[in-house]
Amino acid sequence: MMEARAWLDKIHAFEFDRPIKIMNVCGGHERSITHAGMRGALPKWLELVPGPGCPVCVCPEEDVYQAIQLALFDKVILVAFGDMLRVPVNVKKGEVRSLAEAQAAGADVRPIASPLDARRIAQENPERPVVFFAAGFETTTAPVAAMLAEGIPGNLSILLSGRLTWPAVAMLLDSGSPGFDALVAPGHVSTVMGPEEWSFVIDRHEIPAAVAGFGTESLLASFYSVLRQLKSGERFLDNCYREVAHPGGNPTGRRLLDHTLDIVDANWRGIGIIPNSGYALKPAFAQHDARLLFPDHTDPDRRRAGEMPPGCDCAQVVLGKIYPNQCRIYGKACTPRNPVGPCMVSDEGACRIWWAGGVRVAADA
């Protein structure tokens, strides 16, 4: 593979008479781009737009609220991936607004790194109900499906908040004003689902697309590919992550997803319902579905239930409509130490990534 310097030279050799926007839809891509300082090394006419690549950011606010209530009032052991613990919900001042605050208030909330940790905790506590709050895209939902298929302890249930990546991109493209000229598709998702899942971008919308890995060379190769497509007029889905993302994806992972989960219409926080964009446990696994086993704590009287917090523009950031530092409260009310919105919480959230990358002031400052 060519070295980064050579790819940069090839990209700088292009000439465009207008700004070109390339959207990425992976938090890992955005982290690599930001921490490698790529934006500063690329031509001024090229804009890299972070898109819907953060599952924590789009996890429905009401699901986070439900998890908090289960931990507080149903006396379950609530386990979740670590970056879910600080995601805030909209409640009255003084009420518990995150799983971390529930933990501080005495609830048994435990961060985990793998679905296998959830199974182990359930096995170690057979007399207690354990709820695994599982938010994630296809890459992290596939291991949850595998665990279900293998069989899990009777005291373990899943509060599933899984999402598919491509429907959010399809929604943007179908809107008629997607806000980008080319797409860099996520490498990890393509590893599970197959690169061809992104062929609709070419076939239906005639927008250049390339699958990229997480190294600088793979990302720069994908930028070069889509720019070359824009210049030449040809359109094809280029796979710049061939060593890992193979046609057909991971057959075992896909089979397990199909075996255990249904694809359903799903709510994305601050964005709304996107058709066929979510996962739900199949009826055969109802005995492990936390949504069926525990009371529904939905409170329609809560202010801004389901929405982003007041002043938070995280949904616009997720959709690539604005850059993180264009949010009204970026670096002001909202910082990693005191996150207001989920984009500042997760390591895959664009606001958190930009802050860690040294962008500490709002665009209007």
Side-chain angles (χ1 to χ4, degrees):
M1 182 177 273
M2 284 171 52
E3 291 188 358
R5 180 72 259 173
W7 284 119
L8 275 172
D9 289 343
K10 288 167 75 75
I11 291 169
H12 275 276
F14 285 117
E15 290 184 9
F16 287 89
D17 57 5
R18 65 180 180 89
I20 301 296
K21 291 187 176 184
I22 300 176
M23 174 179 276
N24 71 74
V25 286
C26 174
H29 282 169
E30 183 56 33
R31 198 159 50 240
S32 295
I33 288 166
T34 301
H35 293 333
M38 276 190 217
R39 286 185 174 88
L42 291 165
K44 290 283 187 278
W45 47 260
L46 182 56
E47 294 185 41
L48 304 180
V49 182
C54 171
V56 170
C57 304
V58 301
C59 178
E61 190 258 6
E62 54 270 29
D63 283 7
V64 184
Y65 182 80
Q66 174 74 1
I68 292 169
Q69 304 312 303
L70 290 178
L72 287 172
F73 300 112
D74 293 288
K75 303 306 178 190
V76 306
I77 300 175
L78 195 292
V79 301
F81 295 129
D83 54 359
M84 288 304 309
L85 266 60
R86 297 180 68 224
V87 176
V89 296
N90 300 317
V91 292
K92 293 174 185 167
K93 199 165 186 178
E95 291 184 19
V96 172
R97 64 191 290 268
S98 69
L99 284 166
E101 289 188 9
Q103 184 185 48
D108 195 342
V109 176
R110 307 185 191 182
I112 58 172
S114 158
L116 297 179
D117 293 337
R119 186 166 68 186
R120 174 183 53 78
I121 290 169
Q123 289 168 336
E124 292 171 353
N125 297 272
E127 75 294 345
R128 294 188 61 191
V130 179
V131 175
F132 175 21
F133 180 26
F137 286 140
E138 298 95 329
T139 318
T140 47
T141 304
V144 177
M147 184 181 70
L148 274 170
E150 288 173 1
I152 60 176
N155 63 323
L156 177 59
S157 60
I158 314 290
L159 178 60
L160 185 62
S161 197
R163 295 291 179 268
L164 291 85
T165 319
W166 71 263
V169 176
M171 180 196 73
L172 283 170
L173 291 171
D174 290 338
S175 73
S177 55
F180 57 92
D181 302 290
L183 181 80
V184 170
H188 279 165
V189 171
S190 299
T191 300
V192 176
M193 307 303 287
E196 62 277 6
E197 187 174 61
W198 298 95
S199 59
F200 76 93
V201 179
I202 310 291
D203 300 339
R204 289 215 321 256
H205 302 280
E206 298 185 352
I207 286 181
V211 173
F214 301 88
T216 304
E217 289 83 2
S218 181
L219 280 162
L220 289 172
S222 71
F223 300 157
Y224 171 76
S225 175
V226 296
L227 290 169
R228 184 164 65 89
Q229 291 180 53
L230 283 171
K231 207 68 174 168
S232 68
E234 62 180 328
R235 297 289 183 266
F236 61 94
L237 176 65
D238 199 359
N239 185 0
C240 301
Y241 198 35
R242 291 181 186 177
E243 64 272 29
V244 178
H246 306 298
N250 183 321
T252 302
R254 293 183 65 173
R255 189 181 74 249
L256 292 170
L257 284 167
D258 291 341
H259 173 63
T260 59
L261 307 177
D262 286 325
I263 293 176
V264 297
D265 297 347
N267 188 25
W268 293 49
R269 185 172 185 177
I271 296 168
I273 302 289
I274 300 180
N276 301 315
S277 67
Y279 287 111
L281 272 64
K282 284 185 180 292
F285 297 92
Q287 74 271 28
H288 295 296
D289 192 340
R291 296 185 189 278
L292 304 176
L293 297 176
F294 293 95
D296 181 358
H297 292 283
T298 303
D299 179 2
D301 294 328
R302 281 195 304 124
R303 287 182 65 240
R304 301 179 64 86
E307 299 178 32
M308 293 293 177
C312 173
D313 295 318
C314 184
Q316 294 295 100
V317 172
V318 165
L319 293 174
K321 301 297 185 184
I322 63 172
Y323 289 109
N325 64 333
Q326 291 175 314
C327 172
R328 289 168 287 172
I329 57 174
Y330 180 91
K332 300 169 186 170
C334 187
T335 64
R337 190 180 290 272
N338 182 37
V340 174
C343 291
M344 192 61 92
V345 173
S346 173
D347 285 341
E348 298 206 326
C351 295
R352 175 70 175 266
I353 292 167
W354 278 43
W355 183 276
V359 180
R360 298 293 168 86
V361 294
D364 61 358

